[in-house]
Amino acid sequence: MSALSLMTMSTIDAQETDSLVVLPKENYLAPYAIDTIPTDDRFLRIVLYDNNTWEYLEIERPQIEEDDFAEEWNNEKVHAYKGISMDDIPEEDNILLTDSLHPYHCPLKGIVRSGYKWRRRRPHKGVDIPLITGTPIRAAFDGKVRVVMKTRQTGGYGNLIVIRHPNGLETYYGHLSVHKVKENDIVKAGEIIGLGGNTGRSTGPHLHFETRYMGQAFDPERIFNFQTGELRDSIFTFKKHYLSIYSHYGMTEQESKDASKRIMYKVKSGDNLGSIAKKYGTTVANICKLNKISTKKTLRVGQNLIVR
């Protein structure tokens, strides 16, 4: 552990060089901290001094009320909000992300290689950021750890941590190699909660990061600029149409609303573009445009198509 420099220095009898002040040890007005020891309390440490004395050091605790976590709390399920329907979700809500009392930290700064979108026949409800295995992953905001699970419990997420935040959001951290926190721990924004890895359904080491509101995912790039590590804004105006897998950061309001109304169809045996278009009152040309495919495309049973 790194030593804490808590000493108070006196300039009496100090020897000065061009860039260094050398202070005789007898002129220290306080003992020198040589080590810290953790306790059962995450926000309390024992500081050891070079004169064989010690004292407690209290670390600032996040301003969190237990009532913030009462609704739909569950340590045993990845997704907890089973009692919430889409009808329960407001059309719009202002969510405080940061101010003088509420810090933030980008979980991992880097380039998003795979975003919030439909991918390989299933929705990809977060962002993927490449990393070197063992890279520290940090809590995005102050919060309470709801889930700490291994790959056998989460499937595609691999080793996973889910944190619920007082602002109403939950953040997901997937494919970890190591967990650094436990269920029900209170964590601070920027605290290292795990190490990045390649567990679960993964083709290489990366962080899979999700942001969810009342259990429903939306594009994390609406909140974070992952390349700079900065928030887009201190207050995030959530809109219900953001919950569509087709609604992405960078869209206009109208584009997002239009995208949220899209209808997906799973191709069945005997289907063709003409029969699907007729069923949904659209045209083959429109289906091809929405899916960026040719009118001569051979459909595959089980394939998902945007039809409207």
Side-chain angles (χ1 to χ4, degrees):
M1 303 179 189
S2 61
L4 296 177
S5 182
L6 301 179
M7 61 184 176
T8 303
M9 298 178 65
S10 167
T11 57
I12 300 174
D13 297 331
Q15 300 174 8
E16 185 171 355
T17 66
D18 290 341
S19 60
L20 177 67
V21 174
V22 180
L23 185 65
K25 189 173 180 180
E26 60 268 19
N27 285 332
Y28 292 167
L29 299 181
Y32 183 75
I34 58 173
D35 208 349
T36 60
I37 300 175
T39 69
D40 291 337
D41 186 334
R42 296 173 56 76
F43 299 99
L44 192 65
R45 301 286 189 272
I46 296 173
V47 182
L48 301 180
Y49 294 99
D50 61 350
N51 64 353
N52 296 320
T53 62
W54 61 273
E55 67 177 347
Y56 285 117
L57 173 66
E58 188 166 7
I59 301 170
E60 184 179 359
R61 298 169 187 266
Q63 300 297 312
I64 288 177
E65 300 291 337
E66 284 298 318
D67 289 346
D68 293 332
F69 308 102
E71 186 178 12
E72 302 288 335
W73 184 264
N74 191 315
N75 297 125
E76 298 177 356
K77 293 182 179 180
V78 172
H79 308 302
Y81 286 89
K82 298 302 182 182
I84 302 293
S85 71
M86 289 298 287
D87 291 338
D88 297 322
I89 298 175
E91 292 296 327
E92 186 172 313
D93 193 10
N94 288 322
I95 299 173
L96 176 67
L97 299 180
T98 187
D99 62 13
S100 60
L101 297 177
H102 302 86
Y104 78 92
H105 198 289
C106 188
L108 177 67
K109 187 176 173 181
I111 296 174
V112 173
R113 293 299 187 193
S114 184
Y116 180 86
K117 62 182 179 180
W118 198 269
R119 188 184 71 178
R120 294 195 296 272
R121 303 172 64 180
R122 61 168 58 91
H124 183 243
K125 295 186 176 182
V127 296
D128 290 348
I129 304 173
L131 50 71
I132 297 171
T133 296
T135 299
I137 305 301
R138 300 177 184 273
F141 309 101
D142 294 346
K144 184 175 181 179
V145 179
R146 183 174 65 77
V147 165
V148 176
M149 290 183 179
K150 293 186 177 297
T151 300
R152 65 178 181 273
Q153 300 167 283
T154 71
Y157 282 111
N159 293 335
L160 174 70
I161 292 171
V162 179
I163 302 174
R164 186 172 294 182
H165 308 286
N167 59 17
L169 298 180
E170 282 197 335
T171 50
Y172 287 44
Y173 310 77
H175 305 310
L176 304 176
S177 59
V178 175
H179 297 121
K180 291 283 191 179
V181 293
K182 306 185 301 298
E183 290 174 355
N184 302 316
D185 277 350
I186 301 296
V187 295
K188 298 178 64 174
E191 181 176 344
I192 296 174
I193 58 170
L195 304 181
N198 190 31
T199 56
R201 190 183 298 120
S202 173
T203 57
H206 69 277
L207 172 68
H208 174 82
F209 178 72
E210 293 183 10
T211 47
R212 290 184 177 244
Y213 174 80
M214 296 180 72
Q216 300 296 321
F218 61 91
D219 188 357
E221 290 193 85
R222 290 191 180 278
I223 286 184
F224 279 106
N225 179 334
F226 290 95
Q227 285 189 266
T228 66
E230 298 174 338
L231 289 174
R232 303 287 184 190
D233 207 340
S234 59
I235 295 177
F236 169 58
T237 301
F238 164 83
K239 307 240 176 119
K240 193 171 183 175
H241 53 83
Y242 290 172
L243 300 180
S244 168
I245 193 65
Y246 302 109
S247 175
H248 312 132
Y249 170 73
M251 284 182 168
T252 66
E253 182 82 356
Q254 191 58 51
E255 286 172 339
S256 177
K257 286 181 178 179
D258 291 343
S260 70
K261 297 174 183 175
R262 288 180 182 171
I263 297 173
M264 181 67 66
Y265 177 76
K266 183 174 286 188
V267 176
K268 299 179 177 60
S269 178
D271 281 338
N272 58 56
L273 286 171
S275 65
I276 295 171
K278 184 177 179 180
K279 181 176 181 179
Y280 284 92
T282 185
T283 65
V284 170
N286 192 48
I287 291 177
C288 291
K289 181 180 179 181
L290 288 172
N291 293 275
K292 298 179 180 179
I293 59 174
S294 165
T295 56
K296 298 179 181 180
K297 169 77 174 179
T298 300
L299 300 182
R300 183 180 65 254
V301 174
Q303 178 181 352
N304 290 293
L305 288 176
I306 305 168
V307 293
R308 283 170 59 184

mmCIF file of all heavy atoms in Angstrom, residues 42-73:
data_model
loop_
_atom_site.group_PDB
_atom_site.id
_atom_site.type_symbol
_atom_site.label_atom_id
_atom_site.label_comp_id
_atom_site.label_asym_id
_atom_site.label_seq_id
_atom_site.Cartn_x
_atom_site.Cartn_y
_atom_site.Cartn_z
ATOM 1 N N ARG A 42 -15.584 0.125 4.525
ATOM 2 C CA ARG A 42 -14.895 0.563 3.297
ATOM 3 C C ARG A 42 -14.388 1.985 3.377
ATOM 4 O O ARG A 42 -13.476 2.377 2.648
ATOM 5 C CB ARG A 42 -15.850 0.448 2.107
ATOM 6 C CG ARG A 42 -16.287 -0.949 1.784
ATOM 7 C CD ARG A 42 -17.357 -0.942 0.702
ATOM 8 N NE ARG A 42 -16.929 -0.255 -0.491
ATOM 9 C CZ ARG A 42 -16.088 -0.757 -1.397
ATOM 10 N NH1 ARG A 42 -15.573 -1.952 -1.212
ATOM 11 N NH2 ARG A 42 -15.776 -0.069 -2.471
ATOM 12 N N PHE A 43 -14.975 2.786 4.258
ATOM 13 C CA PHE A 43 -14.619 4.200 4.333
ATOM 14 C C PHE A 43 -13.838 4.538 5.602
ATOM 15 O O PHE A 43 -13.790 5.682 6.030
ATOM 16 C CB PHE A 43 -15.883 5.058 4.216
ATOM 17 C CG PHE A 43 -16.590 4.842 2.917
ATOM 18 C CD1 PHE A 43 -17.683 4.001 2.833
ATOM 19 C CD2 PHE A 43 -16.119 5.438 1.757
ATOM 20 C CE1 PHE A 43 -18.322 3.773 1.624
ATOM 21 C CE2 PHE A 43 -16.751 5.215 0.540
ATOM 22 C CZ PHE A 43 -17.857 4.385 0.473
ATOM 23 N N LEU A 44 -13.214 3.508 6.186
ATOM 24 C CA LEU A 44 -12.395 3.707 7.378
ATOM 25 C C LEU A 44 -11.092 2.937 7.230
ATOM 26 O O LEU A 44 -11.095 1.746 6.903
ATOM 27 C CB LEU A 44 -13.156 3.219 8.624
ATOM 28 C CG LEU A 44 -12.579 3.610 9.982
ATOM 29 C CD1 LEU A 44 -12.650 5.123 10.173
ATOM 30 C CD2 LEU A 44 -13.351 2.910 11.101
ATOM 31 N N ARG A 45 -9.962 3.614 7.434
ATOM 32 C CA ARG A 45 -8.637 2.993 7.338
ATOM 33 C C ARG A 45 -7.885 3.218 8.645
ATOM 34 O O ARG A 45 -8.152 4.163 9.393
ATOM 35 C CB ARG A 45 -7.821 3.618 6.190
ATOM 36 C CG ARG A 45 -8.465 3.493 4.833
ATOM 37 C CD ARG A 45 -8.365 2.073 4.286
ATOM 38 N NE ARG A 45 -8.798 2.014 2.907
ATOM 39 C CZ ARG A 45 -10.040 1.820 2.500
ATOM 40 N NH1 ARG A 45 -11.001 1.681 3.409
ATOM 41 N NH2 ARG A 45 -10.348 1.768 1.220
ATOM 42 N N ILE A 46 -6.907 2.339 8.899
ATOM 43 C CA ILE A 46 -5.991 2.524 10.016
ATOM 44 C C ILE A 46 -4.663 3.031 9.445
ATOM 45 O O ILE A 46 -4.099 2.427 8.535
ATOM 46 C CB ILE A 46 -5.767 1.206 10.780
ATOM 47 C CG1 ILE A 46 -7.081 0.739 11.430
ATOM 48 C CG2 ILE A 46 -4.676 1.376 11.840
ATOM 49 C CD1 ILE A 46 -6.990 -0.632 12.056
ATOM 50 N N VAL A 47 -4.194 4.151 9.964
ATOM 51 C CA VAL A 47 -2.933 4.732 9.512
ATOM 52 C C VAL A 47 -1.844 4.376 10.525
ATOM 53 O O VAL A 47 -1.998 4.625 11.733
ATOM 54 C CB VAL A 47 -3.037 6.268 9.378
ATOM 55 C CG1 VAL A 47 -1.725 6.845 8.856
ATOM 56 C CG2 VAL A 47 -4.187 6.641 8.454
ATOM 57 N N LEU A 48 -0.754 3.787 10.042
ATOM 58 C CA LEU A 48 0.388 3.425 10.900
ATOM 59 C C LEU A 48 1.484 4.465 10.744
ATOM 60 O O LEU A 48 1.805 4.883 9.622
ATOM 61 C CB LEU A 48 0.932 2.049 10.504
ATOM 62 C CG LEU A 48 -0.050 0.867 10.573
ATOM 63 C CD1 LEU A 48 0.648 -0.415 10.147
ATOM 64 C CD2 LEU A 48 -0.626 0.724 11.971
ATOM 65 N N TYR A 49 2.077 4.883 11.885
ATOM 66 C CA TYR A 49 3.127 5.899 11.871
ATOM 67 C C TYR A 49 4.479 5.287 12.234
ATOM 68 O O TYR A 49 4.560 4.200 12.823
ATOM 69 C CB TYR A 49 2.777 7.022 12.841
ATOM 70 C CG TYR A 49 1.553 7.811 12.434
ATOM 71 C CD1 TYR A 49 0.307 7.549 12.998
ATOM 72 C CD2 TYR A 49 1.640 8.814 11.474
ATOM 73 C CE1 TYR A 49 -0.824 8.266 12.612
ATOM 74 C CE2 TYR A 49 0.525 9.544 11.093
ATOM 75 C CZ TYR A 49 -0.706 9.262 11.663
ATOM 76 O OH TYR A 49 -1.812 9.968 11.286
ATOM 77 N N ASP A 50 5.520 6.032 11.889
ATOM 78 C CA ASP A 50 6.877 5.519 12.101
ATOM 79 C C ASP A 50 7.290 5.505 13.571
ATOM 80 O O ASP A 50 8.345 4.967 13.919
ATOM 81 C CB ASP A 50 7.894 6.322 11.280
ATOM 82 C CG ASP A 50 7.924 7.795 11.650
ATOM 83 O OD1 ASP A 50 7.029 8.228 12.399
ATOM 84 O OD2 ASP A 50 8.839 8.504 11.187
ATOM 85 N N ASN A 51 6.474 6.063 14.479
ATOM 86 C CA ASN A 51 6.790 6.029 15.911
ATOM 87 C C ASN A 51 5.968 4.972 16.646
ATOM 88 O O ASN A 51 5.762 5.045 17.848
ATOM 89 C CB ASN A 51 6.569 7.402 16.540
ATOM 90 C CG ASN A 51 5.105 7.832 16.473
ATOM 91 O OD1 ASN A 51 4.276 7.159 15.837
ATOM 92 N ND2 ASN A 51 4.784 8.944 17.120
ATOM 93 N N ASN A 52 5.464 3.974 15.843
ATOM 94 C CA ASN A 52 4.696 2.849 16.394
ATOM 95 C C ASN A 52 3.332 3.248 16.962
ATOM 96 O O ASN A 52 2.775 2.548 17.799
ATOM 97 C CB ASN A 52 5.490 2.106 17.470
ATOM 98 C CG ASN A 52 6.743 1.458 16.912
ATOM 99 O OD1 ASN A 52 6.714 0.905 15.803
ATOM 100 N ND2 ASN A 52 7.836 1.531 17.651
ATOM 101 N N THR A 53 2.791 4.372 16.504
ATOM 102 C CA THR A 53 1.433 4.752 16.882
ATOM 103 C C THR A 53 0.523 4.585 15.668
ATOM 104 O O THR A 53 0.994 4.363 14.550
ATOM 105 C CB THR A 53 1.369 6.204 17.388
ATOM 106 O OG1 THR A 53 1.772 7.077 16.324
ATOM 107 C CG2 THR A 53 2.275 6.402 18.594
ATOM 108 N N TRP A 54 -0.791 4.687 15.882
ATOM 109 C CA TRP A 54 -1.749 4.567 14.788
ATOM 110 C C TRP A 54 -2.996 5.384 15.106
ATOM 111 O O TRP A 54 -3.204 5.781 16.251
ATOM 112 C CB TRP A 54 -2.140 3.102 14.553
ATOM 113 C CG TRP A 54 -2.809 2.449 15.742
ATOM 114 C CD1 TRP A 54 -2.204 1.828 16.785
ATOM 115 C CD2 TRP A 54 -4.217 2.404 15.999
ATOM 116 N NE1 TRP A 54 -3.126 1.388 17.689
ATOM 117 C CE2 TRP A 54 -4.380 1.722 17.221
ATOM 118 C CE3 TRP A 54 -5.348 2.868 15.325
ATOM 119 C CZ2 TRP A 54 -5.637 1.499 17.781
ATOM 120 C CZ3 TRP A 54 -6.608 2.643 15.873
ATOM 121 C CH2 TRP A 54 -6.733 1.966 17.076
ATOM 122 N N GLU A 55 -3.788 5.624 14.070
ATOM 123 C CA GLU A 55 -5.076 6.282 14.250
ATOM 124 C C GLU A 55 -6.002 5.932 13.091
ATOM 125 O O GLU A 55 -5.550 5.453 12.055
ATOM 126 C CB GLU A 55 -4.922 7.801 14.341
ATOM 127 C CG GLU A 55 -4.456 8.461 13.058
ATOM 128 C CD GLU A 55 -4.389 9.977 13.190
ATOM 129 O OE1 GLU A 55 -4.929 10.511 14.173
ATOM 130 O OE2 GLU A 55 -3.793 10.620 12.306
ATOM 131 N N TYR A 56 -7.291 6.164 13.304
ATOM 132 C CA TYR A 56 -8.269 5.925 12.248
ATOM 133 C C TYR A 56 -8.295 7.108 11.271
ATOM 134 O O TYR A 56 -8.177 8.266 11.691
ATOM 135 C CB TYR A 56 -9.673 5.741 12.831
ATOM 136 C CG TYR A 56 -9.890 4.398 13.498
ATOM 137 C CD1 TYR A 56 -10.163 4.323 14.864
ATOM 138 C CD2 TYR A 56 -9.846 3.227 12.757
ATOM 139 C CE1 TYR A 56 -10.374 3.096 15.479
ATOM 140 C CE2 TYR A 56 -10.054 1.998 13.362
ATOM 141 C CZ TYR A 56 -10.322 1.932 14.719
ATOM 142 O OH TYR A 56 -10.529 0.723 15.317
ATOM 143 N N LEU A 57 -8.457 6.794 10.004
ATOM 144 C CA LEU A 57 -8.638 7.815 8.979
ATOM 145 C C LEU A 57 -9.973 7.546 8.295
ATOM 146 O O LEU A 57 -10.168 6.481 7.691
ATOM 147 C CB LEU A 57 -7.509 7.764 7.946
ATOM 148 C CG LEU A 57 -7.670 8.679 6.729
ATOM 149 C CD1 LEU A 57 -7.600 10.144 7.160
ATOM 150 C CD2 LEU A 57 -6.615 8.376 5.683
ATOM 151 N N GLU A 58 -10.913 8.479 8.402
ATOM 152 C CA GLU A 58 -12.220 8.305 7.782
ATOM 153 C C GLU A 58 -12.225 8.946 6.400
ATOM 154 O O GLU A 58 -11.843 10.105 6.232
ATOM 155 C CB GLU A 58 -13.322 8.917 8.639
ATOM 156 C CG GLU A 58 -14.715 8.587 8.115
ATOM 157 C CD GLU A 58 -15.806 8.899 9.123
ATOM 158 O OE1 GLU A 58 -15.474 9.492 10.167
ATOM 159 O OE2 GLU A 58 -16.972 8.555 8.853
ATOM 160 N N ILE A 59 -12.648 8.171 5.403
ATOM 161 C CA ILE A 59 -12.726 8.643 4.026
ATOM 162 C C ILE A 59 -14.139 9.164 3.785
ATOM 163 O O ILE A 59 -15.109 8.605 4.271
ATOM 164 C CB ILE A 59 -12.402 7.498 3.052
ATOM 165 C CG1 ILE A 59 -10.993 6.962 3.324
ATOM 166 C CG2 ILE A 59 -12.526 7.948 1.607
ATOM 167 C CD1 ILE A 59 -10.670 5.691 2.591
ATOM 168 N N GLU A 60 -14.236 10.248 3.046
ATOM 169 C CA GLU A 60 -15.546 10.862 2.809
ATOM 170 C C GLU A 60 -16.519 9.861 2.196
ATOM 171 O O GLU A 60 -16.212 9.187 1.216
ATOM 172 C CB GLU A 60 -15.397 12.067 1.874
ATOM 173 C CG GLU A 60 -16.698 12.822 1.662
ATOM 174 C CD GLU A 60 -16.536 14.017 0.748
ATOM 175 O OE1 GLU A 60 -15.403 14.259 0.309
ATOM 176 O OE2 GLU A 60 -17.542 14.677 0.492
ATOM 177 N N ARG A 61 -17.705 9.770 2.786
ATOM 178 C CA ARG A 61 -18.717 8.829 2.323
ATOM 179 C C ARG A 61 -19.658 9.506 1.328
ATOM 180 O O ARG A 61 -19.966 10.680 1.466
ATOM 181 C CB ARG A 61 -19.542 8.308 3.517
ATOM 182 C CG ARG A 61 -18.709 7.555 4.540
ATOM 183 C CD ARG A 61 -19.501 7.310 5.815
ATOM 184 N NE ARG A 61 -18.635 6.737 6.846
ATOM 185 C CZ ARG A 61 -18.518 5.421 7.061
ATOM 186 N NH1 ARG A 61 -19.237 4.581 6.349
ATOM 187 N NH2 ARG A 61 -17.692 4.964 7.979
ATOM 188 N N PRO A 62 -20.145 8.742 0.342
ATOM 189 C CA PRO A 62 -21.138 9.297 -0.586
ATOM 190 C C PRO A 62 -22.418 9.673 0.149
ATOM 191 O O PRO A 62 -22.788 9.035 1.147
ATOM 192 C CB PRO A 62 -21.397 8.131 -1.554
ATOM 193 C CG PRO A 62 -20.214 7.242 -1.422
ATOM 194 C CD PRO A 62 -19.754 7.371 -0.009
ATOM 195 N N GLN A 63 -23.096 10.712 -0.323
ATOM 196 C CA GLN A 63 -24.361 11.145 0.263
ATOM 197 C C GLN A 63 -25.488 10.292 -0.322
ATOM 198 O O GLN A 63 -26.067 10.608 -1.353
ATOM 199 C CB GLN A 63 -24.598 12.624 -0.038
ATOM 200 C CG GLN A 63 -23.517 13.539 0.503
ATOM 201 C CD GLN A 63 -23.439 13.499 2.021
ATOM 202 O OE1 GLN A 63 -24.445 13.606 2.704
ATOM 203 N NE2 GLN A 63 -22.229 13.335 2.537
ATOM 204 N N ILE A 64 -25.777 9.179 0.358
ATOM 205 C CA ILE A 64 -26.757 8.217 -0.145
ATOM 206 C C ILE A 64 -27.764 7.875 0.945
ATOM 207 O O ILE A 64 -27.395 7.638 2.100
ATOM 208 C CB ILE A 64 -26.051 6.928 -0.633
ATOM 209 C CG1 ILE A 64 -25.295 7.216 -1.938
ATOM 210 C CG2 ILE A 64 -27.029 5.787 -0.821
ATOM 211 C CD1 ILE A 64 -24.519 6.050 -2.461
ATOM 212 N N GLU A 65 -29.040 7.855 0.570
ATOM 213 C CA GLU A 65 -30.109 7.440 1.470
ATOM 214 C C GLU A 65 -30.564 6.040 1.081
ATOM 215 O O GLU A 65 -30.749 5.743 -0.099
ATOM 216 C CB GLU A 65 -31.292 8.414 1.374
ATOM 217 C CG GLU A 65 -30.960 9.853 1.748
ATOM 218 C CD GLU A 65 -30.673 10.018 3.228
ATOM 219 O OE1 GLU A 65 -31.141 9.166 4.021
ATOM 220 O OE2 GLU A 65 -29.963 10.981 3.580
ATOM 221 N N GLU A 66 -30.761 5.181 2.076
ATOM 222 C CA GLU A 66 -31.170 3.807 1.791
ATOM 223 C C GLU A 66 -32.503 3.754 1.049
ATOM 224 O O GLU A 66 -32.770 2.834 0.278
ATOM 225 C CB GLU A 66 -31.264 3.007 3.096
ATOM 226 C CG GLU A 66 -29.911 2.597 3.653
ATOM 227 C CD GLU A 66 -29.128 1.681 2.708
ATOM 228 O OE1 GLU A 66 -29.729 0.772 2.109
ATOM 229 O OE2 GLU A 66 -27.907 1.898 2.569
ATOM 230 N N ASP A 67 -33.364 4.756 1.252
ATOM 231 C CA ASP A 67 -34.658 4.780 0.576
ATOM 232 C C ASP A 67 -34.506 4.865 -0.943
ATOM 233 O O ASP A 67 -35.423 4.511 -1.689
ATOM 234 C CB ASP A 67 -35.508 5.954 1.064
ATOM 235 C CG ASP A 67 -36.000 5.764 2.489
ATOM 236 O OD1 ASP A 67 -35.899 4.621 2.983
ATOM 237 O OD2 ASP A 67 -36.463 6.735 3.104
ATOM 238 N N ASP A 68 -33.339 5.350 -1.393
ATOM 239 C CA ASP A 68 -33.102 5.454 -2.831
ATOM 240 C C ASP A 68 -33.064 4.087 -3.505
ATOM 241 O O ASP A 68 -33.159 3.985 -4.735
ATOM 242 C CB ASP A 68 -31.765 6.163 -3.108
ATOM 243 C CG ASP A 68 -31.787 7.624 -2.681
ATOM 244 O OD1 ASP A 68 -32.875 8.217 -2.682
ATOM 245 O OD2 ASP A 68 -30.719 8.161 -2.346
ATOM 246 N N PHE A 69 -32.921 3.025 -2.710
ATOM 247 C CA PHE A 69 -32.703 1.696 -3.278
ATOM 248 C C PHE A 69 -33.773 0.684 -2.879
ATOM 249 O O PHE A 69 -33.592 -0.518 -3.056
ATOM 250 C CB PHE A 69 -31.326 1.178 -2.846
ATOM 251 C CG PHE A 69 -30.217 2.137 -3.137
ATOM 252 C CD1 PHE A 69 -29.675 2.925 -2.144
ATOM 253 C CD2 PHE A 69 -29.743 2.292 -4.420
ATOM 254 C CE1 PHE A 69 -28.669 3.836 -2.408
ATOM 255 C CE2 PHE A 69 -28.745 3.200 -4.710
ATOM 256 C CZ PHE A 69 -28.200 3.966 -3.704
ATOM 257 N N ALA A 70 -34.861 1.162 -2.333
ATOM 258 C CA ALA A 70 -35.884 0.245 -1.814
ATOM 259 C C ALA A 70 -36.683 -0.430 -2.924
ATOM 260 O O ALA A 70 -37.003 -1.622 -2.833
ATOM 261 C CB ALA A 70 -36.826 0.998 -0.872
ATOM 262 N N GLU A 71 -37.002 0.296 -3.989
ATOM 263 C CA GLU A 71 -37.893 -0.225 -5.021
ATOM 264 C C GLU A 71 -37.211 -1.237 -5.929
ATOM 265 O O GLU A 71 -36.145 -0.974 -6.490
ATOM 266 C CB GLU A 71 -38.444 0.929 -5.867
ATOM 267 C CG GLU A 71 -39.489 0.489 -6.876
ATOM 268 C CD GLU A 71 -40.054 1.658 -7.656
ATOM 269 O OE1 GLU A 71 -39.478 2.766 -7.572
ATOM 270 O OE2 GLU A 71 -41.065 1.469 -8.339
ATOM 271 N N GLU A 72 -37.835 -2.423 -6.065
ATOM 272 C CA GLU A 72 -37.360 -3.451 -6.990
ATOM 273 C C GLU A 72 -35.898 -3.817 -6.756
ATOM 274 O O GLU A 72 -35.152 -4.089 -7.703
ATOM 275 C CB GLU A 72 -37.552 -2.991 -8.452
ATOM 276 C CG GLU A 72 -38.972 -2.653 -8.835
ATOM 277 C CD GLU A 72 -39.881 -3.859 -8.975
ATOM 278 O OE1 GLU A 72 -39.362 -4.958 -9.239
ATOM 279 O OE2 GLU A 72 -41.102 -3.705 -8.814
ATOM 280 N N TRP A 73 -35.465 -3.855 -5.494
ATOM 281 C CA TRP A 73 -34.075 -4.229 -5.192
ATOM 282 C C TRP A 73 -33.949 -5.744 -5.183
ATOM 283 O O TRP A 73 -34.715 -6.444 -4.515
ATOM 284 C CB TRP A 73 -33.652 -3.646 -3.856
ATOM 285 C CG TRP A 73 -32.208 -3.913 -3.531
ATOM 286 C CD1 TRP A 73 -31.707 -4.925 -2.774
ATOM 287 C CD2 TRP A 73 -31.082 -3.146 -3.981
ATOM 288 N NE1 TRP A 73 -30.331 -4.850 -2.728
ATOM 289 C CE2 TRP A 73 -29.919 -3.769 -3.458
ATOM 290 C CE3 TRP A 73 -30.954 -2.007 -4.781
ATOM 291 C CZ2 TRP A 73 -28.648 -3.273 -3.701
ATOM 292 C CZ3 TRP A 73 -29.678 -1.524 -5.018
ATOM 293 C CH2 TRP A 73 -28.546 -2.148 -4.484
#
